[in-house]
């Protein structure tokens, strides 16, 4: 690489930069370090979640890789929010906002300190999209480094991970599990550091990072706190330097075909609905025109081939033993579901990277061939209708033939709905409606895993749920989220009343209420916007910036957000 072309020269080169170099000398840098590129290591390590509690080890291995490849690593920190710990109470409103703050903070540090390239170390759910968004904004060589999944636990001779705990709460309410058994489960389900082992949001986004080209193939599946994870970290450090040498930048990678590959993989793995939000937001940062309809179009023609929790039986560890994400990519590429000409962070095309890695043929119990899939269609379905003119999202975990007609049970927020479940107030044929939980109305578009898992755990097989909020990647069952427009901006969901007949038709891709349009309009004319809950601080600031869930809940100033 040409030293004179490095951004970091603005800090290290020339007589007038002596004060800057003095600051580096104070941290142990040498003259030799100033001749090397400065590679930022953005680290979300924290003791607030097991997903991130080990990331200092991961970052250390990445820094070793950077040094070995001829770079000077500079580590800096940023925030994380534990989705699991913030779930089910007011704190979850911070989660989606943290995606924006992570992107903002990494962008500011790399911009302000004139870093040449980045390794972004991520664990919990919103870390990964936040890091990818920062890379797209900066457009300097950026490698996404995932922290890996924690070990699975064992309870009553069964392998368990995070989803069994939250569903256990519903089982206690139903009387199918004792409180003592739930205590035993909670102590055994999470035996170490790392993210949830099922194909929840973190693993979904790590898988997508490989498919879209921002992480090296094989880097998503190694478990946390293992030698394989440290090797993947060192490789990411080396790649940041080589990507700088080769001038491989995020906007070279994040093209329309790359996003189409990412959506294809999301559909094939049965990935989290949160990936819809995050890919839409990342596309906005990359300047790629991506619409919600494209998730439906691609999912409809993509086979679901991965038997992974929460909808299936296996975990990320099982996938790792069967070739990891490259095994999935090989099947999809050989069957022409992927564009193999897209660029990856290694400088190779996706097709060449798959060929080089040469993954083994996986156990069909874990990953099925495309000609013998779990389902002919992918897991992501977009519904529209008079309840969701701008769309709603469902992850199909059972059948694409699902149809349901039921009575609306309307709740203003998550807590009221959970109380009804806890008190066994739901009845067969109910459609639980949770509103004013959207990006602006919440604010922050809370995940509803506590509610959805309680419904599943309590045995409500003939109850559906819809919300303008969102779901954890661990959610399963007939749960429809991301309803847009949201209630807070006067979307039709704001007009619903108890007893209204709601029709869910997955084959027809519709979500509607059996009311004349004139009745909906009359109700909305009489509707009054709720007063914002927060008057100061970050939770007051972000509602003025959030766009609709149908646009990825991106943040940008709106000219008149209160009336949009």
């Amino acid at each position: 690489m040409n030293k004179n072309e490095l951004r970091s020269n603005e800090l290290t080169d020339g007589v007038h930069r002596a004060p800057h170099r003095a600051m580096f000398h104070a941290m142990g840098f040498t003259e030799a370090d100033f001749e090397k590129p400065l590679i930022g290591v953005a680290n979300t390590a924290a003791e607030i979640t097991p997903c991130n509690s080990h990331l200092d080890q991961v970052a250390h291995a990445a820094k070793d890789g950077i040094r070995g490849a001829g770079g000077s690593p500079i580590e800096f920190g940023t925030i994380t929010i534990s989705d699991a710990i913030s779930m089910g109470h007011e704190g979850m409103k911070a989660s989606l906002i943290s995606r924006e703050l992570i992107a903002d903070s990494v962008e500011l540090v790399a911009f302000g300190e004139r870093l040449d390239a980045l390794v972004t170390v991520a664990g919990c759910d919103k870390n990964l999209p936040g890091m990818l968004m920062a890379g797209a904004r900066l457009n300097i060589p950026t490698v996404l480094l995932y922290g890996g999944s924690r070990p699975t636990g064992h309870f009553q001779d069964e392998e368990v991970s995070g989803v069994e705990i939250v569903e256990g709460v519903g089982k206690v309410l139903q009387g199918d599990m004792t409180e003592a058994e739930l205590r035993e489960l909670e102590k055994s389900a999470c035996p170490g550091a790392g993210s949830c082992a099922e194909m929840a949001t973190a693993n979904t986004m790590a898988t997508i990072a490989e498919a879209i080209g921002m992480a090296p193939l094989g880097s998503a599946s190694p478990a946390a706190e293992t030698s394989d994870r440290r090797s993947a970290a060192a490789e990411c450090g080396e790649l940041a330097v080589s990507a700088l040498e080769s001038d491989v930048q995020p906007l070279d990678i994040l093209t329309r075909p790359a996003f189409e590959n990412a959506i294809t993989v999301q559909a094939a793995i049965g990935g989290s609905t949160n990936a819809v939000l995050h890919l839409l937001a990342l596309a906005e940062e990359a300047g790629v025109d991506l619409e919600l309809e494209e998730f439906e179009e691609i999912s409809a023609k993509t086979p679901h081939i991965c038997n992974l929790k929460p909808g299936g039986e296996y975990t990320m560890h099982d996938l790792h033993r069967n070739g990891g994400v490259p095994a999935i990519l090989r099947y999809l590429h050989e069957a022409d579901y992927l564009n193999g000409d897209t660029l990856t962070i290694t400088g190779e095309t996706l097709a060449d990277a798959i060929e080089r890695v040469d993954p083994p043929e996986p156990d069909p119990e874990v990953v099925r061939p495309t000609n013998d899939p779990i389902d002919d269609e992918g897991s992501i379905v977009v519904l529209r209708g008079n309840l969701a003119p701008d769309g709603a999202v469902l992850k199909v975990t059972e059948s694409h033939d699902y149809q349901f007609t039921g009575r609306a049970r309307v709740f203003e927020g998550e807590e009221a709905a959970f109380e009804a479940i806890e008190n066994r107030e739901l009845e067969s044929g109910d459609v639980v409606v949770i509103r004013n939980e959207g990006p602006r109305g919440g604010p922050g578009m809370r995940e509803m895993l506590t509610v959805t898992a309680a419904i599943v755990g309590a045995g409500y097989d003939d109850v559906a749920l819809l919300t303008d909020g969102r779901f954890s990647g661990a959610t399963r069952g007939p749960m429809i989220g991301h309803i847009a427009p949201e209630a807070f901006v006067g979307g039709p969901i704001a007009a619903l009343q108890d007893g209204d007949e709601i029709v869910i038709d997955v084959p027809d891709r519709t979500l509607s209420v059996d009311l004349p349009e004139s009745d909906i309009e009359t109700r909305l004319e009489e509707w009054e916007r709720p007063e914002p809950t927060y008057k100061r601080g970050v939770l007051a600031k972000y509602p003025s910036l959030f766009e609709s869930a149908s646009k990825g809940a991106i943040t940008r100033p709106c000219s008149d957000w209160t009336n949009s």
Side-chain angles (χ1 to χ4, degrees), residues 25 130 157 237 298 378 380 399 468 474 554 563-564:
H25 284 307
D157 298 323
I298 292 173
I380 296 299
S399 171
D468 52 9
I554 58 173
N563 295 316
S564 61

Side-chain angles (χ1 to χ4, degrees), residues 16 77 117 145 217 261 287 348 353 379 396 433 444 457 471 506 522 529 544 549:
H16 56 302
L145 170 54
L217 295 197
N261 286 345
E348 304 164 290
S379 60
V396 176
V433 178
F471 300 124
V506 172
T522 298
R529 185 192 314 279
S544 67

Side-chain angles (χ1 to χ4, degrees), residues 304-472:
H304 179 193
I305 62 173
C306 293
N307 183 17
L308 301 173
K309 291 182 178 184
E313 302 175 80
Y314 296 97
T315 68
M316 198 67 158
H317 305 306
D318 299 304
L319 179 61
H320 184 61
R321 288 188 286 268
N322 283 274
V325 177
I328 301 168
L329 297 177
R330 167 166 278 180
Y331 271 164
L332 293 172
H333 182 247
E334 287 178 345
D336 293 327
Y337 289 102
L338 296 178
N339 184 327
D341 294 331
T342 57
L343 183 66
T344 71
I345 191 63
T346 64
E348 304 164 290
T349 65
L350 181 62
D352 287 343
I354 295 170
E355 187 66 24
R356 174 180 55 80
V357 173
D358 191 24
E361 185 172 319
D363 181 346
E365 289 296 313
V366 180
V367 181
R368 302 273 283 273
T370 57
N371 60 3
D372 183 27
I374 296 167
D375 196 306
D376 290 335
E377 297 182 55
S379 60
I380 296 299
V381 169
V382 176
L383 306 177
R384 291 185 183 273
N386 65 359
L387 265 183
D390 293 343
V393 178
L394 166 68
K395 180 172 73 173
V396 176
T397 56
E398 294 178 3
S399 171
H400 279 84
D401 295 329
Y402 180 80
Q403 295 174 305
F404 190 83
T405 299
R407 304 172 302 276
R409 288 288 309 277
V410 181
F411 300 95
E412 307 295 344
E414 177 183 359
E415 286 82 0
F418 185 78
E419 183 178 352
I421 298 165
E422 190 175 32
N423 294 332
R424 304 293 299 171
E425 294 174 4
L426 299 186
E427 298 178 1
S428 175
D430 281 348
V431 178
V432 176
V433 178
I434 304 176
R435 66 188 177 196
N436 290 308
E437 291 286 8
R440 299 181 191 173
M445 204 177 179
R446 280 196 286 185
E447 291 183 352
M448 303 287 174
L449 180 60
T450 299
V451 172
T452 61
I455 288 173
V456 172
Y460 285 116
D461 296 329
D462 53 356
V463 167
L465 183 149
L466 57 90
T467 179
D468 52 9
R470 60 191 177 91
F471 300 124
S472 163

